[in-house]
Amino acid sequence: MLKTYLPLALTFIFFLPLTAQDLSGSLFSKETNESIPYASVEIGKNYGVITNNEGEFQINVDRFTEKDSLRFSSLGYQSTRIALKDFVQDTIIYLKEDVSELEDVYLINKKLSPQEIMAKVNENLAKNYNYSLRQYDLFIRNESDNEILDAEFEINKATFLEKKVTKKFNTELEELLKTTKNVTSKSYSEKFIRVSLGEKIDSLKVDIQKATVLKDTTQSSDVESFSSEVMKKIGQNLNSENTFKVKSGILPIDDSLKVGKKFKVQTKKSDSIYTKNLKESYVDYFKYNDKLNLGKFDFVREYEDYAYTIEDITGFNGEMVYILSFEPDRGRADYLGKLYVSAESFAIIKAEYHLEEGEKASGINMKFLLGIKAEQTKDTGLIIFKKNENNTYDPVYAKSKTNQYIYFNRSFKFKENTEDRSKRIKFKFDMLVENQSNMNTEILFVNSSPVTSEQFNSIEENKGKKLDYIRKYDASVWEGYNIISPDRELEEFEL
C-alpha cells in the first residue's frame, strides 16, 4: 500500500446518428400514479433499455419497422405493448398492478421454506449464469465526487534546495492546500462499448464506441489531482538521473526508485480512452466481481447467516417469482435487501441490497501504527437479469453506490544512490491526506447475443476512442445510442 501511495497518483453495430430515431417516454403505476424505476423497455430479442430512477427512458429503434412494438414490463405489474406506429413521443405509459392469485401454485410447489429456496439458488448458480461466448453492448455512466477533508505537506530536508527556497516551497504548498481542502469536485463520465467474451472469460475483447467526460478540470479536490500538483512542484526543483533508496519511517519502500519518472507529472489532460486500459477491469468484472457473479455475495453464498422471509409471490414474464427479504442473523452478516427468485429455475432475476447501518464493506485501520486507514462505508446496489435464448441468464442492468474514506499520514526519506557522498541528494517530507469519495455506477446491457469461437477469434479490437469533454450535459451527444435517461441532477449539471 505504501508503494502505491508513494507517487500519490491509475462488426456488428448499427449506429446511424444522422438519421437516428430515438423514442422517449416514462412509466407510471396506474393505481398509485407513481413513476416505475428500472422497468424494462424492450423491442426484439435481447434488445432494450431500463427506465431510470425517475421512470424515464429513451430507446433507439433504427433497426426496426413500424410493424414492431415496444414491450413494457416490471415485476409486480402487467406488461403492455405499443406498436411503433402508434407510439407518441414523450408519452406516459401506465402499467397496471399484477393481482394474479398464485396461492394454489404456491401450495402445489410444496411450500418451500426460504432456506430451501436459497439452497436451490446456490445449487443452480453455475447452470443459470454463464457469460462465455457472449457479446454485450454496454452503456456505462459513472458519477463521482471527491473531497479532501485535510491535507498537509512539508519538506523537512532537501539538499538540492537552499533553505530560503525550501521555506518558499512550503509556503507555496500551504497556499495550494488552502484552495484544495473542503472543496468537493464532481464529475460524470459515460461510455458505450462492446464486450465479447471467449470460451474462457479471460479472453475478453473490448471495442470502445464513444466516451464523454463532464468534469471541471480547473478545480479538483481528489487525491490524485492534489498529488499531481505537489509532485509537479517537487519535480521542477529535483533533477537527478540516479536512482534513490526510499523509506517511510523505518519501512523500506524501494532500493532503486527512478525518481525522475515519479516526479515528472503529466499535466496535460488525456484526450483519449484506450482499450488496453479497460480490458483488465472488464475481465475482473465478468469473472470475479460480485456485481455479476451472485455466488460472491455473502447473502447468497452464506445464506444461513441471514434471516430470510418470503414476503410475496408474484408473476413475471409467465413464471412464478418468490420475493425474499433478508437481514443479518449472525455477527458476520452485514447486508439487508430483497431477492426475486424464479420458482422454475431458481435463478435470481433481481437483487437489491445495502449495508446494515454502521457496518463496513471493507477496511483497514492502522492509523496509529502506520498512519493508514481506509474503509468502504457504503455499498448499495441493484442488479437485474433476464433469461436468454439458451435458458441461462444475462445481466440487464447493474447499479452500485459506494463511499470510500482514506487517511494517510507518513514521512518519506529519499537517499540518492551515488558513490560521491558529498554530492548525494537527500530529501525528506511529511505528508497527510484525508479524503472522502463517493462513486455511483450504472451499467445498461443494451444488447446481448451468442458468439461462436470462430466469430470471437475474428473480432478485432480498436485501440481506443477520443474523449469528448463537455461542459454541460447535452442529450444530442448520444443521439442514435441506447442509454440510460439522465436524471434531473445530471441534466442540470453545468460547469
mmCIF file with all atom_site columns, all heavy atoms in Angstrom, residues 471-488:
data_model
loop_
_atom_site.group_PDB
_atom_site.id
_atom_site.type_symbol
_atom_site.label_atom_id
_atom_site.label_alt_id
_atom_site.label_comp_id
_atom_site.label_asym_id
_atom_site.label_entity_id
_atom_site.label_seq_id
_atom_site.pdbx_PDB_ins_code
_atom_site.Cartn_x
_atom_site.Cartn_y
_atom_site.Cartn_z
_atom_site.occupancy
_atom_site.B_iso_or_equiv
_atom_site.pdbx_formal_charge
_atom_site.auth_seq_id
_atom_site.auth_comp_id
_atom_site.auth_asym_id
_atom_site.auth_atom_id
_atom_site.pdbx_PDB_model_num
ATOM 1   N N   . ARG A 1 471 ? -19.058 20.595 -21.190 1.00 0.00 ? 471 ARG A N   1
ATOM 2   C CA  . ARG A 1 471 ? -19.226 21.453 -20.009 1.00 0.00 ? 471 ARG A CA  1
ATOM 3   C C   . ARG A 1 471 ? -20.661 21.458 -19.500 1.00 0.00 ? 471 ARG A C   1
ATOM 4   O O   . ARG A 1 471 ? -20.931 21.915 -18.410 1.00 0.00 ? 471 ARG A O   1
ATOM 5   C CB  . ARG A 1 471 ? -18.778 22.875 -20.323 1.00 0.00 ? 471 ARG A CB  1
ATOM 6   C CG  . ARG A 1 471 ? -17.291 22.994 -20.647 1.00 0.00 ? 471 ARG A CG  1
ATOM 7   C CD  . ARG A 1 471 ? -16.859 24.441 -20.731 1.00 0.00 ? 471 ARG A CD  1
ATOM 8   N NE  . ARG A 1 471 ? -17.100 25.151 -19.482 1.00 0.00 ? 471 ARG A NE  1
ATOM 9   C CZ  . ARG A 1 471 ? -16.287 25.103 -18.419 1.00 0.00 ? 471 ARG A CZ  1
ATOM 10  N NH1 . ARG A 1 471 ? -15.184 24.367 -18.472 1.00 0.00 ? 471 ARG A NH1 1
ATOM 11  N NH2 . ARG A 1 471 ? -16.579 25.778 -17.331 1.00 0.00 ? 471 ARG A NH2 1
ATOM 12  N N   . LYS A 1 472 ? -21.585 20.968 -20.314 1.00 0.00 ? 472 LYS A N   1
ATOM 13  C CA  . LYS A 1 472 ? -22.989 20.876 -19.905 1.00 0.00 ? 472 LYS A CA  1
ATOM 14  C C   . LYS A 1 472 ? -23.578 19.642 -20.564 1.00 0.00 ? 472 LYS A C   1
ATOM 15  O O   . LYS A 1 472 ? -23.264 19.342 -21.719 1.00 0.00 ? 472 LYS A O   1
ATOM 16  C CB  . LYS A 1 472 ? -23.763 22.127 -20.335 1.00 0.00 ? 472 LYS A CB  1
ATOM 17  C CG  . LYS A 1 472 ? -25.204 22.166 -19.858 1.00 0.00 ? 472 LYS A CG  1
ATOM 18  C CD  . LYS A 1 472 ? -25.904 23.433 -20.336 1.00 0.00 ? 472 LYS A CD  1
ATOM 19  C CE  . LYS A 1 472 ? -27.297 23.581 -19.728 1.00 0.00 ? 472 LYS A CE  1
ATOM 20  N NZ  . LYS A 1 472 ? -28.161 22.397 -19.940 1.00 0.00 ? 472 LYS A NZ  1
ATOM 21  N N   . TYR A 1 473 ? -24.430 18.930 -19.822 1.00 0.00 ? 473 TYR A N   1
ATOM 22  C CA  . TYR A 1 473 ? -24.993 17.713 -20.390 1.00 0.00 ? 473 TYR A CA  1
ATOM 23  C C   . TYR A 1 473 ? -25.826 18.043 -21.622 1.00 0.00 ? 473 TYR A C   1
ATOM 24  O O   . TYR A 1 473 ? -26.657 18.948 -21.608 1.00 0.00 ? 473 TYR A O   1
ATOM 25  C CB  . TYR A 1 473 ? -25.853 16.971 -19.367 1.00 0.00 ? 473 TYR A CB  1
ATOM 26  C CG  . TYR A 1 473 ? -26.225 15.591 -19.863 1.00 0.00 ? 473 TYR A CG  1
ATOM 27  C CD1 . TYR A 1 473 ? -25.339 14.533 -19.713 1.00 0.00 ? 473 TYR A CD1 1
ATOM 28  C CD2 . TYR A 1 473 ? -27.425 15.373 -20.524 1.00 0.00 ? 473 TYR A CD2 1
ATOM 29  C CE1 . TYR A 1 473 ? -25.660 13.264 -20.191 1.00 0.00 ? 473 TYR A CE1 1
ATOM 30  C CE2 . TYR A 1 473 ? -27.744 14.115 -21.011 1.00 0.00 ? 473 TYR A CE2 1
ATOM 31  C CZ  . TYR A 1 473 ? -26.859 13.066 -20.835 1.00 0.00 ? 473 TYR A CZ  1
ATOM 32  O OH  . TYR A 1 473 ? -27.166 11.812 -21.327 1.00 0.00 ? 473 TYR A OH  1
ATOM 33  N N   . ASP A 1 474 ? -25.568 17.300 -22.689 1.00 0.00 ? 474 ASP A N   1
ATOM 34  C CA  . ASP A 1 474 ? -26.260 17.522 -23.953 1.00 0.00 ? 474 ASP A CA  1
ATOM 35  C C   . ASP A 1 474 ? -26.752 16.171 -24.462 1.00 0.00 ? 474 ASP A C   1
ATOM 36  O O   . ASP A 1 474 ? -25.954 15.318 -24.861 1.00 0.00 ? 474 ASP A O   1
ATOM 37  C CB  . ASP A 1 474 ? -25.308 18.167 -24.959 1.00 0.00 ? 474 ASP A CB  1
ATOM 38  C CG  . ASP A 1 474 ? -25.970 18.459 -26.296 1.00 0.00 ? 474 ASP A CG  1
ATOM 39  O OD1 . ASP A 1 474 ? -27.184 18.186 -26.430 1.00 0.00 ? 474 ASP A OD1 1
ATOM 40  O OD2 . ASP A 1 474 ? -25.271 18.949 -27.204 1.00 0.00 ? 474 ASP A OD2 1
ATOM 41  N N   . ALA A 1 475 ? -28.067 15.963 -24.443 1.00 0.00 ? 475 ALA A N   1
ATOM 42  C CA  . ALA A 1 475 ? -28.639 14.682 -24.845 1.00 0.00 ? 475 ALA A CA  1
ATOM 43  C C   . ALA A 1 475 ? -28.327 14.338 -26.293 1.00 0.00 ? 475 ALA A C   1
ATOM 44  O O   . ALA A 1 475 ? -28.237 13.157 -26.658 1.00 0.00 ? 475 ALA A O   1
ATOM 45  C CB  . ALA A 1 475 ? -30.153 14.698 -24.635 1.00 0.00 ? 475 ALA A CB  1
ATOM 46  N N   . SER A 1 476 ? -28.117 15.357 -27.133 1.00 0.00 ? 476 SER A N   1
ATOM 47  C CA  . SER A 1 476 ? -27.861 15.083 -28.549 1.00 0.00 ? 476 SER A CA  1
ATOM 48  C C   . SER A 1 476 ? -26.524 14.390 -28.778 1.00 0.00 ? 476 SER A C   1
ATOM 49  O O   . SER A 1 476 ? -26.302 13.789 -29.827 1.00 0.00 ? 476 SER A O   1
ATOM 50  C CB  . SER A 1 476 ? -27.908 16.390 -29.354 1.00 0.00 ? 476 SER A CB  1
ATOM 51  O OG  . SER A 1 476 ? -26.837 17.250 -28.979 1.00 0.00 ? 476 SER A OG  1
ATOM 52  N N   . VAL A 1 477 ? -25.624 14.470 -27.788 1.00 0.00 ? 477 VAL A N   1
ATOM 53  C CA  . VAL A 1 477 ? -24.332 13.784 -27.899 1.00 0.00 ? 477 VAL A CA  1
ATOM 54  C C   . VAL A 1 477 ? -24.534 12.281 -28.079 1.00 0.00 ? 477 VAL A C   1
ATOM 55  O O   . VAL A 1 477 ? -23.765 11.606 -28.766 1.00 0.00 ? 477 VAL A O   1
ATOM 56  C CB  . VAL A 1 477 ? -23.471 14.063 -26.648 1.00 0.00 ? 477 VAL A CB  1
ATOM 57  C CG1 . VAL A 1 477 ? -22.233 13.168 -26.621 1.00 0.00 ? 477 VAL A CG1 1
ATOM 58  C CG2 . VAL A 1 477 ? -23.061 15.523 -26.607 1.00 0.00 ? 477 VAL A CG2 1
ATOM 59  N N   . TRP A 1 478 ? -25.611 11.760 -27.481 1.00 0.00 ? 478 TRP A N   1
ATOM 60  C CA  . TRP A 1 478 ? -25.867 10.318 -27.518 1.00 0.00 ? 478 TRP A CA  1
ATOM 61  C C   . TRP A 1 478 ? -27.003 9.962  -28.465 1.00 0.00 ? 478 TRP A C   1
ATOM 62  O O   . TRP A 1 478 ? -27.589 8.885  -28.351 1.00 0.00 ? 478 TRP A O   1
ATOM 63  C CB  . TRP A 1 478 ? -26.168 9.807  -26.101 1.00 0.00 ? 478 TRP A CB  1
ATOM 64  C CG  . TRP A 1 478 ? -24.950 9.809  -25.246 1.00 0.00 ? 478 TRP A CG  1
ATOM 65  C CD1 . TRP A 1 478 ? -24.617 10.706 -24.281 1.00 0.00 ? 478 TRP A CD1 1
ATOM 66  C CD2 . TRP A 1 478 ? -23.885 8.869  -25.299 1.00 0.00 ? 478 TRP A CD2 1
ATOM 67  N NE1 . TRP A 1 478 ? -23.412 10.388 -23.725 1.00 0.00 ? 478 TRP A NE1 1
ATOM 68  C CE2 . TRP A 1 478 ? -22.936 9.260  -24.334 1.00 0.00 ? 478 TRP A CE2 1
ATOM 69  C CE3 . TRP A 1 478 ? -23.620 7.738  -26.069 1.00 0.00 ? 478 TRP A CE3 1
ATOM 70  C CZ2 . TRP A 1 478 ? -21.749 8.563  -24.122 1.00 0.00 ? 478 TRP A CZ2 1
ATOM 71  C CZ3 . TRP A 1 478 ? -22.444 7.033  -25.865 1.00 0.00 ? 478 TRP A CZ3 1
ATOM 72  C CH2 . TRP A 1 478 ? -21.523 7.448  -24.896 1.00 0.00 ? 478 TRP A CH2 1
ATOM 73  N N   . GLU A 1 479 ? -27.289 10.836 -29.395 1.00 0.00 ? 479 GLU A N   1
ATOM 74  C CA  . GLU A 1 479 ? -28.327 10.527 -30.366 1.00 0.00 ? 479 GLU A CA  1
ATOM 75  C C   . GLU A 1 479 ? -27.938 9.287  -31.178 1.00 0.00 ? 479 GLU A C   1
ATOM 76  O O   . GLU A 1 479 ? -26.822 9.171  -31.674 1.00 0.00 ? 479 GLU A O   1
ATOM 77  C CB  . GLU A 1 479 ? -28.535 11.713 -31.314 1.00 0.00 ? 479 GLU A CB  1
ATOM 78  C CG  . GLU A 1 479 ? -29.699 11.531 -32.269 1.00 0.00 ? 479 GLU A CG  1
ATOM 79  C CD  . GLU A 1 479 ? -29.915 12.744 -33.153 1.00 0.00 ? 479 GLU A CD  1
ATOM 80  O OE1 . GLU A 1 479 ? -29.186 13.741 -32.966 1.00 0.00 ? 479 GLU A OE1 1
ATOM 81  O OE2 . GLU A 1 479 ? -30.793 12.679 -34.019 1.00 0.00 ? 479 GLU A OE2 1
ATOM 82  N N   . GLY A 1 480 ? -28.860 8.349  -31.305 1.00 0.00 ? 480 GLY A N   1
ATOM 83  C CA  . GLY A 1 480 ? -28.588 7.124  -32.041 1.00 0.00 ? 480 GLY A CA  1
ATOM 84  C C   . GLY A 1 480 ? -28.071 5.992  -31.183 1.00 0.00 ? 480 GLY A C   1
ATOM 85  O O   . GLY A 1 480 ? -27.851 4.881  -31.685 1.00 0.00 ? 480 GLY A O   1
ATOM 86  N N   . TYR A 1 481 ? -27.862 6.232  -29.888 1.00 0.00 ? 481 TYR A N   1
ATOM 87  C CA  . TYR A 1 481 ? -27.383 5.208  -28.961 1.00 0.00 ? 481 TYR A CA  1
ATOM 88  C C   . TYR A 1 481 ? -28.467 4.904  -27.927 1.00 0.00 ? 481 TYR A C   1
ATOM 89  O O   . TYR A 1 481 ? -29.243 5.782  -27.561 1.00 0.00 ? 481 TYR A O   1
ATOM 90  C CB  . TYR A 1 481 ? -26.132 5.673  -28.220 1.00 0.00 ? 481 TYR A CB  1
ATOM 91  C CG  . TYR A 1 481 ? -24.902 5.832  -29.077 1.00 0.00 ? 481 TYR A CG  1
ATOM 92  C CD1 . TYR A 1 481 ? -24.717 6.974  -29.853 1.00 0.00 ? 481 TYR A CD1 1
ATOM 93  C CD2 . TYR A 1 481 ? -23.918 4.850  -29.105 1.00 0.00 ? 481 TYR A CD2 1
ATOM 94  C CE1 . TYR A 1 481 ? -23.590 7.133  -30.635 1.00 0.00 ? 481 TYR A CE1 1
ATOM 95  C CE2 . TYR A 1 481 ? -22.780 5.003  -29.884 1.00 0.00 ? 481 TYR A CE2 1
ATOM 96  C CZ  . TYR A 1 481 ? -22.623 6.142  -30.640 1.00 0.00 ? 481 TYR A CZ  1
ATOM 97  O OH  . TYR A 1 481 ? -21.505 6.298  -31.419 1.00 0.00 ? 481 TYR A OH  1
ATOM 98  N N   . ASN A 1 482 ? -28.480 3.689  -27.459 1.00 0.00 ? 482 ASN A N   1
ATOM 99  C CA  . ASN A 1 482 ? -29.348 3.335  -26.333 1.00 0.00 ? 482 ASN A CA  1
ATOM 100 C C   . ASN A 1 482 ? -28.603 3.625  -25.038 1.00 0.00 ? 482 ASN A C   1
ATOM 101 O O   . ASN A 1 482 ? -27.544 3.042  -24.774 1.00 0.00 ? 482 ASN A O   1
ATOM 102 C CB  . ASN A 1 482 ? -29.730 1.853  -26.386 1.00 0.00 ? 482 ASN A CB  1
ATOM 103 C CG  . ASN A 1 482 ? -30.877 1.603  -27.343 1.00 0.00 ? 482 ASN A CG  1
ATOM 104 O OD1 . ASN A 1 482 ? -31.723 2.460  -27.539 1.00 0.00 ? 482 ASN A OD1 1
ATOM 105 N ND2 . ASN A 1 482 ? -30.901 0.427  -27.949 1.00 0.00 ? 482 ASN A ND2 1
ATOM 106 N N   . ILE A 1 483 ? -29.161 4.503  -24.233 1.00 0.00 ? 483 ILE A N   1
ATOM 107 C CA  . ILE A 1 483 ? -28.508 4.887  -22.986 1.00 0.00 ? 483 ILE A CA  1
ATOM 108 C C   . ILE A 1 483 ? -29.541 4.900  -21.857 1.00 0.00 ? 483 ILE A C   1
ATOM 109 O O   . ILE A 1 483 ? -30.733 4.709  -22.080 1.00 0.00 ? 483 ILE A O   1
ATOM 110 C CB  . ILE A 1 483 ? -27.837 6.267  -23.093 1.00 0.00 ? 483 ILE A CB  1
ATOM 111 C CG1 . ILE A 1 483 ? -28.901 7.371  -23.191 1.00 0.00 ? 483 ILE A CG1 1
ATOM 112 C CG2 . ILE A 1 483 ? -26.889 6.320  -24.271 1.00 0.00 ? 483 ILE A CG2 1
ATOM 113 C CD1 . ILE A 1 483 ? -28.337 8.769  -23.009 1.00 0.00 ? 483 ILE A CD1 1
ATOM 114 N N   . ILE A 1 484 ? -29.067 5.132  -20.647 1.00 0.00 ? 484 ILE A N   1
ATOM 115 C CA  . ILE A 1 484 ? -29.945 5.355  -19.504 1.00 0.00 ? 484 ILE A CA  1
ATOM 116 C C   . ILE A 1 484 ? -30.314 6.829  -19.493 1.00 0.00 ? 484 ILE A C   1
ATOM 117 O O   . ILE A 1 484 ? -29.438 7.699  -19.525 1.00 0.00 ? 484 ILE A O   1
ATOM 118 C CB  . ILE A 1 484 ? -29.232 4.995  -18.184 1.00 0.00 ? 484 ILE A CB  1
ATOM 119 C CG1 . ILE A 1 484 ? -28.722 3.558  -18.218 1.00 0.00 ? 484 ILE A CG1 1
ATOM 120 C CG2 . ILE A 1 484 ? -30.158 5.214  -16.989 1.00 0.00 ? 484 ILE A CG2 1
ATOM 121 C CD1 . ILE A 1 484 ? -27.660 3.259  -17.173 1.00 0.00 ? 484 ILE A CD1 1
ATOM 122 N N   . SER A 1 485 ? -31.592 7.128  -19.482 1.00 0.00 ? 485 SER A N   1
ATOM 123 C CA  . SER A 1 485 ? -32.010 8.530  -19.476 1.00 0.00 ? 485 SER A CA  1
ATOM 124 C C   . SER A 1 485 ? -31.391 9.261  -18.295 1.00 0.00 ? 485 SER A C   1
ATOM 125 O O   . SER A 1 485 ? -31.368 8.741  -17.178 1.00 0.00 ? 485 SER A O   1
ATOM 126 C CB  . SER A 1 485 ? -33.539 8.632  -19.403 1.00 0.00 ? 485 SER A CB  1
ATOM 127 O OG  . SER A 1 485 ? -34.128 8.204  -20.602 1.00 0.00 ? 485 SER A OG  1
ATOM 128 N N   . PRO A 1 486 ? -30.871 10.462 -18.512 1.00 0.00 ? 486 PRO A N   1
ATOM 129 C CA  . PRO A 1 486 ? -30.279 11.217 -17.403 1.00 0.00 ? 486 PRO A CA  1
ATOM 130 C C   . PRO A 1 486 ? -31.355 11.666 -16.421 1.00 0.00 ? 486 PRO A C   1
ATOM 131 O O   . PRO A 1 486 ? -32.492 11.952 -16.810 1.00 0.00 ? 486 PRO A O   1
ATOM 132 C CB  . PRO A 1 486 ? -29.638 12.423 -18.105 1.00 0.00 ? 486 PRO A CB  1
ATOM 133 C CG  . PRO A 1 486 ? -30.453 12.604 -19.348 1.00 0.00 ? 486 PRO A CG  1
ATOM 134 C CD  . PRO A 1 486 ? -30.840 11.216 -19.780 1.00 0.00 ? 486 PRO A CD  1
ATOM 135 N N   . ASP A 1 487 ? -30.994 11.734 -15.137 1.00 0.00 ? 487 ASP A N   1
ATOM 136 C CA  . ASP A 1 487 ? -31.939 12.270 -14.162 1.00 0.00 ? 487 ASP A CA  1
ATOM 137 C C   . ASP A 1 487 ? -31.821 13.796 -14.136 1.00 0.00 ? 487 ASP A C   1
ATOM 138 O O   . ASP A 1 487 ? -31.011 14.386 -14.839 1.00 0.00 ? 487 ASP A O   1
ATOM 139 C CB  . ASP A 1 487 ? -31.710 11.660 -12.772 1.00 0.00 ? 487 ASP A CB  1
ATOM 140 C CG  . ASP A 1 487 ? -30.298 11.915 -12.246 1.00 0.00 ? 487 ASP A CG  1
ATOM 141 O OD1 . ASP A 1 487 ? -29.611 12.828 -12.764 1.00 0.00 ? 487 ASP A OD1 1
ATOM 142 O OD2 . ASP A 1 487 ? -29.871 11.190 -11.330 1.00 0.00 ? 487 ASP A OD2 1
ATOM 143 N N   . ARG A 1 488 ? -32.647 14.441 -13.323 1.00 0.00 ? 488 ARG A N   1
ATOM 144 C CA  . ARG A 1 488 ? -32.685 15.905 -13.293 1.00 0.00 ? 488 ARG A CA  1
ATOM 145 C C   . ARG A 1 488 ? -31.326 16.509 -12.893 1.00 0.00 ? 488 ARG A C   1
ATOM 146 O O   . ARG A 1 488 ? -30.898 17.526 -13.435 1.00 0.00 ? 488 ARG A O   1
ATOM 147 C CB  . ARG A 1 488 ? -33.764 16.375 -12.316 1.00 0.00 ? 488 ARG A CB  1
ATOM 148 C CG  . ARG A 1 488 ? -35.181 16.000 -12.712 1.00 0.00 ? 488 ARG A CG  1
ATOM 149 C CD  . ARG A 1 488 ? -35.694 16.834 -13.880 1.00 0.00 ? 488 ARG A CD  1
ATOM 150 N NE  . ARG A 1 488 ? -37.040 16.429 -14.257 1.00 0.00 ? 488 ARG A NE  1
ATOM 151 C CZ  . ARG A 1 488 ? -37.321 15.485 -15.139 1.00 0.00 ? 488 ARG A CZ  1
ATOM 152 N NH1 . ARG A 1 488 ? -36.333 14.858 -15.761 1.00 0.00 ? 488 ARG A NH1 1
ATOM 153 N NH2 . ARG A 1 488 ? -38.563 15.160 -15.440 1.00 0.00 ? 488 ARG A NH2 1
#
